Amino acid sequence: MTLFTPSDGIARCGWCAASEDYIAYHDREWGFPVADDRRLFEKLSLEGFQSGLSWRTILMKRENFRAAFAGFDFDRVADFDESDVERLLQDAGIVRHRGKIEAVINNARRAQDLIGEKGSLAAYVWSFEPAGDIPYLASTSPASIAMSKDLKKRGWKFVGPTTVHAFMQAMGLINDHAEGCAIRAAAADARKAFQPPPAA
């Protein structure tokens, strides 16, 4: 459980030592529960783009991704067509990977289907919240394997178990802040206060 203590004297998870942007993301976002469908869709999309890359690469381009994908409004992204794919392949501000771009558009349409069934993306996602402890910084979990399998059955793309596990860590379904990290208790308190949305 590597910790990192920058000049402010506050101990944090070691992985956030790479940059100030990483520290801000770690302190304000990572591990705090999210129920907003658009944020959940954005994070699943960006985790798919991260496949084979570092999260820092994606984080540095996050605002560009938001501009390119209509703020990850899945109702708008679901209407993207081949001309939008070609436009995005020319956008140097994002990761220009046809398969990943097409996956986001496909997944926006699948998100619409899922919301029609479950009432919200959040209700679906939080139904997979792990019931027990997950080993610190594991790359997958039984919960991420189950959610990945179900998403794939529903036609989603770039949602393997490792991608889904990273999504669960980031969106607060798991508190993976290290023991001794100053943010761990705040994330735990936020999780205790959080009420997962019910399914329709």
Side-chain angles (χ1 to χ4, degrees):
M1 292 189 192
T2 305
L3 293 175
F4 158 68
T5 305
S7 58
D8 63 10
I10 298 173
R12 296 173 171 88
C13 299
W15 61 261
C16 75
S19 71
E20 290 296 323
D21 287 334
Y22 250 26
I23 293 172
Y25 173 72
H26 167 272
D27 289 3
R28 299 171 195 162
E29 296 184 53
W30 194 76
F32 289 85
V34 173
D36 179 81
D37 280 4
R38 192 183 294 195
R39 282 189 62 197
L40 292 168
F41 179 70
E42 172 184 291
K43 186 59 174 169
L44 269 173
S45 299
L46 293 180
E47 289 292 352
F49 270 106
Q50 185 196 343
S51 179
L53 303 169
S54 74
W55 175 243
R56 186 180 182 189
T57 298
I58 303 303
L59 185 62
M60 296 293 287
K61 295 175 178 284
R62 184 163 63 169
E63 290 305 321
N64 297 334
F65 276 108
R66 287 171 173 167
F69 285 97
F72 289 98
D73 179 340
F74 41 81
D75 288 324
R76 292 177 62 188
V77 176
D79 288 334
F80 281 16
D81 58 19
E82 183 58 32
S83 66
D84 292 294
V85 174
E86 295 302 322
R87 168 180 61 82
L88 292 166
L89 285 170
Q90 301 305 313
D91 189 338
I94 67 169
V95 174
R96 293 178 286 182
H97 183 291
R98 178 179 288 274
K100 294 177 180 180
I101 290 168
E102 291 177 342
V104 173
I105 298 169
N106 168 78
N107 292 350
R109 296 166 184 162
R110 303 292 76 76
Q112 290 178 319
D113 296 340
L114 195 153
I115 290 166
E117 178 186 343
K118 300 292 185 181
S120 69
L121 187 56
Y124 171 80
V125 164
W126 280 93
S127 72
F128 289 92
E129 181 184 9
D133 291 334
I134 303 296
Y136 175 67
L137 288 184
S139 61
T140 64
S141 63
S144 76
I145 292 167
M147 184 173 159
S148 170
K149 184 177 179 181
D150 191 71
L151 285 171
K152 288 177 179 178
K153 279 173 54 179
R154 294 171 180 274
W156 290 62
K157 307 294 184 185
F158 280 90
V159 286
T162 301
T163 294
V164 171
H165 187 74
F167 165 81
M168 287 180 159
Q169 290 172 306
M171 297 288 95
L173 282 86
I174 302 165
N175 184 0
D176 227 358
H177 286 278
E179 293 287 350
C181 171
I183 309 303
R184 181 177 173 84
D189 288 345
R191 280 177 43 78
K192 285 179 186 175
F194 181 74
Q195 291 293 324

